[in-house]
Amino acid sequence: MRIGVFVGASAADLITLDDLIARIKQAEADGFDSFWVPHISARGYDALTVLALAGTQTSRIELGVGVVPTYPRHPMALAQQALTTATAAGGRFLLGIGPSHRPGIEESFGLSYDSPAQHTREYLSVLRPLIDQGRVQFSGRFYNVNAELDVLDRPNCPVLISALAPRMLRLAGQQADGTITWMAGPRAIRDHVRPRINAAAESAGRPEPRICVGLPATVCDDETAGRRAAAESYERYGRLVNYRRILDVEDVEGPSQVAVVGNEASLQTQLQQFAAAGATDFIANIFTTNDSDESAARTYAALRNLVGRV
């Protein structure tokens, strides 16, 4: 299982552009498999621009965005930007997309959050041909596109979606290269995510998809304190319908119970559980249990030591 770092899931992750690029370069130097940033309008920079810049200053590490909301951005515009970012990164860019959540789309953007699964299916039906072949002809409910996208280089650019519900997981297996989950524990990955996405990919004659599991993580000796800190930092995710459903699949009350919390040995055990459940990637959003950086540094070191060993 590949191990990556994810920065941007909490307010504490808000850092300068220079610091973010420096973190990506350091993660590559430290051997991590991937580095991920979200595309959140209210927090931070344009993710694809950040990763394009990082791509020119790194050579090995995969660079992922998790995820770009589909409703506010036309798939042709995103295809063009994604190919640019993938070119800058030398084919190491992973494009994550998803419909996001009703409150953000309707209240922040003033757009309709109608039929998110169908919207994502049509989005992929426009996006993938443009990325893969440079042309598309598609007519649907949300999009009617007849266009070409010529680029000198057409780098590798895998597309993953934020699939948690059954319809979205089926779509991820049929049309995408995998899923990026958030707030899904090992039971949900084993019993819900993996069988659905793999069956859909097999029926469509596609390769086995990636299952990139994103979760908060901290290494500490006091697990109770660690989970209390997770509850404080990530409580809002438990109030979003899409995450609430996957937490219910896991049969837990809130995000603090799926966060990876414990000492170094416990961290290894928990990551091994995700690997056994079917995760191909673990993406850690490191959080602290106190006001100092001690737990963050300890968590980062523990994760670094597990790269290639889980």
Side-chain angles (χ1 to χ4, degrees), residues 10-188:
S10 67
D13 288 338
L14 187 59
I15 58 177
T16 68
L17 179 59
D18 287 345
D19 285 344
L20 184 52
I21 299 297
R23 286 197 189 186
I24 296 172
K25 293 168 65 177
Q26 189 62 55
E28 176 174 77
D30 289 333
F32 282 95
D33 296 302
S34 63
F35 195 104
W36 297 71
V37 294
H39 187 86
I40 303 175
S41 299
R43 186 181 307 132
Y45 306 96
D46 178 87
L48 276 73
T49 303
V50 170
L51 296 177
L53 291 169
T56 65
Q57 300 183 48
T58 55
S59 60
R60 178 196 56 80
I61 194 168
E62 285 191 312
L63 304 170
V65 55
V67 298
V68 179
T70 56
Y71 285 96
R73 187 172 299 198
H74 194 281
M76 186 171 181
L78 183 57
Q80 186 176 40
Q81 190 179 11
L83 285 172
T84 304
T85 303
T87 300
R92 294 176 286 118
F93 174 58
L94 302 170
L95 174 61
I97 67 167
S100 189
H101 306 274
R102 185 178 297 277
I105 298 303
E106 294 191 341
E107 296 172 15
S108 297
F109 287 101
L111 301 172
S112 171
Y113 192 75
D114 189 27
S115 304
Q118 183 181 352
H119 184 273
T120 307
R121 180 176 293 278
E122 290 194 16
Y123 201 96
L124 279 169
S125 298
V126 177
L127 180 75
R128 286 306 301 257
L130 286 169
I131 286 178
D132 297 339
Q133 290 95 38
R135 63 183 63 86
V136 65
Q137 284 187 313
F138 178 81
S139 179
R141 174 183 170 190
F142 293 99
Y143 295 103
N144 291 281
V145 183
N146 181 3
E148 294 186 359
L149 183 57
D150 294 326
V151 292
L152 186 60
D153 299 311
R154 191 165 297 280
N156 181 50
C157 184
V159 180
L160 303 96
I161 65 174
S162 56
L164 295 173
R167 285 185 65 188
M168 290 289 284
L169 288 165
R170 185 165 60 250
L171 175 59
Q174 291 171 342
Q175 290 185 233
D177 298 299
T179 182
I180 307 165
T181 70
W182 180 244
M183 294 298 151
R187 179 192 299 179

Side-chain angles (χ1 to χ4, degrees), residues 92-306:
R92 294 176 286 118
F93 174 58
L94 302 170
L95 174 61
I97 67 167
S100 189
H101 306 274
R102 185 178 297 277
I105 298 303
E106 294 191 341
E107 296 172 15
S108 297
F109 287 101
L111 301 172
S112 171
Y113 192 75
D114 189 27
S115 304
Q118 183 181 352
H119 184 273
T120 307
R121 180 176 293 278
E122 290 194 16
Y123 201 96
L124 279 169
S125 298
V126 177
L127 180 75
R128 286 306 301 257
L130 286 169
I131 286 178
D132 297 339
Q133 290 95 38
R135 63 183 63 86
V136 65
Q137 284 187 313
F138 178 81
S139 179
R141 174 183 170 190
F142 293 99
Y143 295 103
N144 291 281
V145 183
N146 181 3
E148 294 186 359
L149 183 57
D150 294 326
V151 292
L152 186 60
D153 299 311
R154 191 165 297 280
N156 181 50
C157 184
V159 180
L160 303 96
I161 65 174
S162 56
L164 295 173
R167 285 185 65 188
M168 290 289 284
L169 288 165
R170 185 165 60 250
L171 175 59
Q174 291 171 342
Q175 290 185 233
D177 298 299
T179 182
I180 307 165
T181 70
W182 180 244
M183 294 298 151
R187 179 192 299 179
I189 297 298
R190 183 191 66 229
D191 299 338
H192 175 77
V193 174
R194 181 185 182 183
R196 284 176 168 83
I197 193 173
N198 283 358
E202 183 178 0
S203 66
R206 294 181 57 82
E208 187 169 303
R210 288 175 73 159
I211 301 174
C212 303
V213 176
L215 278 175
T218 193
V219 170
C220 59
D221 296 314
D222 186 343
E223 182 176 335
T224 300
R227 297 204 179 276
R228 187 184 309 120
E232 293 171 358
S233 296
Y234 301 96
E235 180 270 340
R236 67 188 181 282
Y237 290 108
R239 291 185 275 109
L240 292 168
V241 172
N242 297 337
Y243 297 137
R244 182 64 262 167
R245 287 171 180 162
I246 202 68
L247 289 167
D248 289 341
V249 171
E250 192 70 22
D251 194 23
V252 296
E253 291 185 5
S256 66
Q257 292 175 273
V258 293
V260 174
V261 178
N263 60 23
E264 285 82 357
S266 178
L267 175 73
Q268 181 171 358
T269 297
Q270 290 177 73
L271 264 61
Q272 288 171 335
Q273 290 174 345
F274 278 105
T280 61
D281 300 71
F282 183 83
I283 310 164
N285 180 235
I286 297 172
F287 70 98
T288 62
T289 57
N290 49 48
D291 293 332
S292 72
D293 291 332
E294 178 183 353
S295 60
R298 184 177 172 187
T299 306
Y300 184 90
L303 288 165
R304 181 184 59 206
N305 290 336
L306 290 175

